[in-house]
C-alpha cells in the first residue's frame, strides 16, 4: 500500500533554513511510533490517530469481481471503550460506463454469514447510497470471534450478494489491540485474555493549538499582489524550485491572476502562487510577507507528519521540497490541502492547518486507502488537535 502515499508537505521557499526555523516553533508532541500512519494487512488496513482512536477497514480482494463493500471497525482508546462495527457500500467501478455497484435496499433484511455464524437485521428505512449500516450491537462479539476462523464475510439481500475478504483481518485487529494496549485483556479484539480492562491506557488528551485570530474584514491594499509577485520573482533561484516561475515558463499576467494574498496579522500577509498544475493535483509555493515593501519574504512553515521511514514518532517534518498539494483557504482562516493519487477520485489525502503566529500547525489529517471504493475513498484519520 505504501507505494500510493502522497506527500503531505508544502513548497517552502525563502531565505532562512527550514531546520533553523523549526527549532523556534512551539509544537505539540509528535505521535509515538505506530500512531498517525496507516498499516496495511492484505485486504485490510488500520490507522490509529495521535490520541489512539483506531479504525480498521476490510474490503473485497482487489483482484476479484466482487462489488465494493467495506466492514469498518472503530474504537476509541481507554478501558471498556466499545468497538463499533458498520458496513459501507462503495460507488466506483473500474469502467465509468458500467452501471453503479449494487446498493442494499432500505427497510429490507440483510443477512451476514461468517463461518458458522449467520444473522439477519433490517437495513434502516432512511438508508441512502454510500451511508453506514450499523451492525447489531449484540452481534459484535460473536462476529469478531467468527472472523478469527473464517476466510470471508458474505452479505446477501435477496439476489444481491457481496463478499468481504478476511485476509489480514486478524493481523489488523491485533494491531489495534497492540497500539491501544489491549492485548491479553478481556476486551481485546484479536487476542483476548484474562486481564481486566482497567489496565488499558486511557486516551491521551487532544493537543491544544493557540491559533492567531485573523482580524475580521481585513482588506489587502491595492497593488499589493503585484508588489509581492515582483518580490517573489526577485528571490534567488526561485525559478529553479518552482516550475511556473522559471524564465522559460513565466507568464507574469497569468501568475498574477493566480496569486493569492491572505492576511495573517495586522501587518503581515501570506502570499501563495501555483508552482505546477496537473489534471488532478497541483503544488503551491508560499511565503509570509510584510504588507509594506520591501516585504521581507520568509518561508511559510507547515508542520507535516513525518514520512514513513524518516523519523516517525520522533519529530515533526519541516520539508523543503515541492508539494503535491494545492492550498485552499477556508472561511474560518483554516488552510486546507488535498491530493488525489488516482484519477477517478479514490486514494485521497487531506490536511488542515491553523496559523499560530510562527507557523501553520497541523489541525487534522486523514487519508483513504487505495481500494477504488468511492469518490475520495473512506478516510482514515491520522491526526487531530483542538484550537483553544
Amino acid at each position: 500500500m505504501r507505494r500510493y502515499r502522497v506527500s503531505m508537505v508544502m513548497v517552502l521557499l525563502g531565505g532562512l533554513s527550514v531546520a533553523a526555523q523549526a527549532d523556534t516553533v512551539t509544537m505539540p508532541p509528535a505521535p509515538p511510533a505506530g500512531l498517525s500512519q496507516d498499516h496495511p494487512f492484505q485486504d485490510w488496513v488500520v490507522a490509529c490517530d495521535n490520541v489512539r482512536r483506531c479504525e480498521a477497514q476490510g474490503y473485497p480482494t482487489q483482484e476479484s469481481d466482487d462489488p465494493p463493500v467495506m466492514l469498518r471497525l472503530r474504537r476509541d482508546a481507554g478501558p471498556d471503550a466499545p468497538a463499533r462495527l458498520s458496513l459501507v457500500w462503495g460507488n466506483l467501478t473500474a469502467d465509468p460506463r458500467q452501471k453503479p455497484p449494487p446498493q442494499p435496499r432500505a427497510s429490507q433484511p440483510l443477512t451476514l454469514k461468517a463461518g458458522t455464524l449467520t444473522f439477519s437485521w433490517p437495513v434502516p428505512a432512511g438508508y441512502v447510497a454510500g451511508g453506514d449500516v450499523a451492525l447489531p450491537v449484540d452481534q459484535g462479539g460473536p462476529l469478531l470471534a467468527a472472523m478469527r476462523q473464517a476466510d470471508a464475510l458474505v452479505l446477501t439481500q435477496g439476489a444481491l450478494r457481496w463478499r468481504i475478504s478476511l485476509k489480514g483481518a486478524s493481523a489488523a485487529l491485533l494491531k489495534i489491540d497492540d497500539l491501544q494496549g489491549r492485548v491479553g485483556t478481556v476486551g481485546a479484539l484479536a487476542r483476548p485474555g484474562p486481564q481486566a480492562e482497567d489496565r488499558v491506557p486511557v486516551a491521551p488528551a487532544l493537543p491544544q493549538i493557540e491559533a492567531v485570530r485573523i482580524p475580521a474584514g481585513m482588506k489587502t491594499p491595492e497593488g499589493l499582489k503585484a508588489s509581492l509577485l515582483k518580490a517573489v520573482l526577485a528571490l534567488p533561484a526561485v525559478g529553479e524550485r518552482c516550475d511556473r516561475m522559471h524564465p522559460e515558463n513565466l507568464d507574469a499576467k497569468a501568475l498574477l491572476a493566480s496569486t493569492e494574498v491572505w492576511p495573517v496579522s495586522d501587518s503581515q500577509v501570506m502570499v501563495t502562487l501555483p508552482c505546477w498544475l496537473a489534471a488532478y493535483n497541483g503544488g503551491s509555493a508560499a511565503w509570509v510577507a510584510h504588507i509594506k515593501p520591501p516585504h521581507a519574504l520568509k518561508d511559510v512553515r507547515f508542520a507535516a507528519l513525518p514520512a514513513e521511514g524518516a523519523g516517525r514518532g520522533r519529530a515533526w517534518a519541516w520539508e523543503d521540497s515541492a508539494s503535491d498539494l494545492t492550498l485552499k483557504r477556508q472561511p474560518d482562516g483554516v488552510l486546507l490541502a488535498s491530493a488525489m493519487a488516482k484519477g477517478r477520485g479514490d486514494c485521497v489525502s487531506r490536511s488542515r492547518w491553523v496559523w499560530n503566529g510562527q507557523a501553520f500547525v497541523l489541525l487534522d489529517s486523514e487519508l483513504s486507502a487505495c481500494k477504488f471504493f468511492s469518490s475520495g475513498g473512506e478516510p482514515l484519520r491520522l491526526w487531530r488537535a483542538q484550537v483553544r
Side-chain angles (χ1 to χ4, degrees):
M1 179 175 295
R2 280 162 173 75
R3 65 182 181 275
Y4 77 77
R5 287 294 300 276
V6 179
S7 171
M8 298 289 288
V9 298
M10 297 295 138
V11 177
L12 302 176
L13 304 174
L16 301 178
S17 74
V18 173
Q21 296 177 68
D23 290 341
T24 67
V25 178
T26 301
M27 289 290 299
L35 303 182
S36 296
Q37 68 184 99
D38 64 306
H39 301 274
F41 299 96
Q42 293 178 280
D43 296 320
W44 283 66
V45 61
V46 164
C48 296
D49 66 17
N50 53 306
V51 294
R52 301 186 188 274
R53 183 263 202 184
C54 297
E55 179 169 330
Q57 298 178 353
Y59 295 87
T61 299
Q62 285 195 288
E63 293 74 21
S64 73
D65 294 326
D66 294 318
V69 64
M70 178 187 76
L71 177 65
R72 174 157 58 200
L73 182 148
R74 287 175 171 167
R75 193 173 202 182
D76 292 329
D80 301 313
R84 300 179 298 277
L85 292 153
S86 61
L87 296 163
V88 186
W89 279 262
N91 59 13
L92 287 186
T93 57
D95 186 339
R97 296 168 295 184
Q98 294 177 342
K99 292 181 178 180
Q103 299 282 319
R105 292 184 287 271
S107 304
Q108 294 192 24
L110 186 70
T111 298
L112 185 150
K113 179 176 175 62
T116 59
L117 176 69
T118 301
F119 61 90
S120 299
W121 77 107
V123 175
Y127 173 78
V128 294
D132 283 26
V133 173
L135 273 69
V137 174
D138 61 349
Q139 293 293 345
L143 177 59
L144 289 170
M147 286 169 57
R148 298 181 198 127
Q149 309 298 325
D151 60 1
L153 303 179
V154 178
L155 296 159
T156 55
Q157 190 186 64
L160 300 177
R161 183 181 183 276
W162 301 268
R163 186 179 186 277
I164 298 172
S165 170
L166 291 178
K167 292 180 180 178
S170 293
L173 299 182
L174 180 59
K175 189 67 175 180
I176 291 179
D177 286 343
D178 178 48
L179 292 175
Q180 292 189 335
R182 299 185 191 275
V183 176
T185 67
V186 294
L189 300 171
R191 196 173 293 173
Q195 299 182 65
E197 273 282 292
D198 59 11
R199 70 174 289 274
V200 176
V202 299
L206 276 177
Q208 302 294 306
I209 300 174
E210 292 283 0
V212 172
R213 301 296 179 182
I214 308 303
M218 269 194 68
K219 295 183 179 180
T220 55
E222 188 72 24
L224 179 59
K225 284 175 59 171
S227 181
L228 287 168
L229 178 57
K230 182 178 179 180
V232 166
L233 293 176
L235 290 172
V238 68
E240 300 300 323
R241 304 177 68 184
C242 194
D243 187 61
R244 293 190 67 182
M245 298 179 206
H246 193 280
E248 294 180 359
N249 305 320
L250 184 61
D251 182 337
K253 185 177 180 180
L255 203 56
L256 179 62
S258 57
T259 298
E260 299 275 0
V261 178
W262 302 322
V264 295
S265 73
D266 290 324
S267 60
Q268 288 184 306
V269 294
M270 183 176 74
V271 54
T272 67
L273 296 93
C275 263
W276 60 271
L277 294 172
Y280 299 102
N281 298 309
S284 300
W287 298 265
V288 167
H290 290 292
I291 291 177
K292 295 181 178 180
H295 299 305
L297 294 165
K298 292 184 179 180
D299 301 358
V300 174
R301 293 157 289 168
F302 291 88
L305 293 170
E308 293 154 4
R312 183 179 289 278
R314 293 196 296 274
W316 288 91
W318 300 92
E319 301 286 349
D320 187 21
S321 59
S323 170
D324 288 326
L325 305 174
T326 299
L327 289 169
K328 296 179 181 178
R329 185 177 174 90
Q330 297 182 313
D332 56 3
V334 172
L335 285 186
L336 168 69
S338 62
M340 185 187 304
K342 280 187 179 180
R344 288 200 57 219
D346 198 18
C347 197
V348 173
S349 302
R350 300 181 185 89
S351 289
R352 297 193 305 156
W353 293 265
V354 293
W355 178 251
N356 73 351
Q358 298 172 299
F360 278 96
V361 181
L362 190 63
L363 179 60
D364 51 52
S365 184
E366 65 183 27
L367 61 81
S368 65
C370 291
K371 295 295 185 180
F372 205 75
F373 183 79
S374 65
S375 181
E378 284 299 309
L380 289 158
R381 189 168 64 195
L382 303 182
W383 174 267
R384 57 183 171 133
Q386 188 174 54
V387 176
R388 289 179 181 172

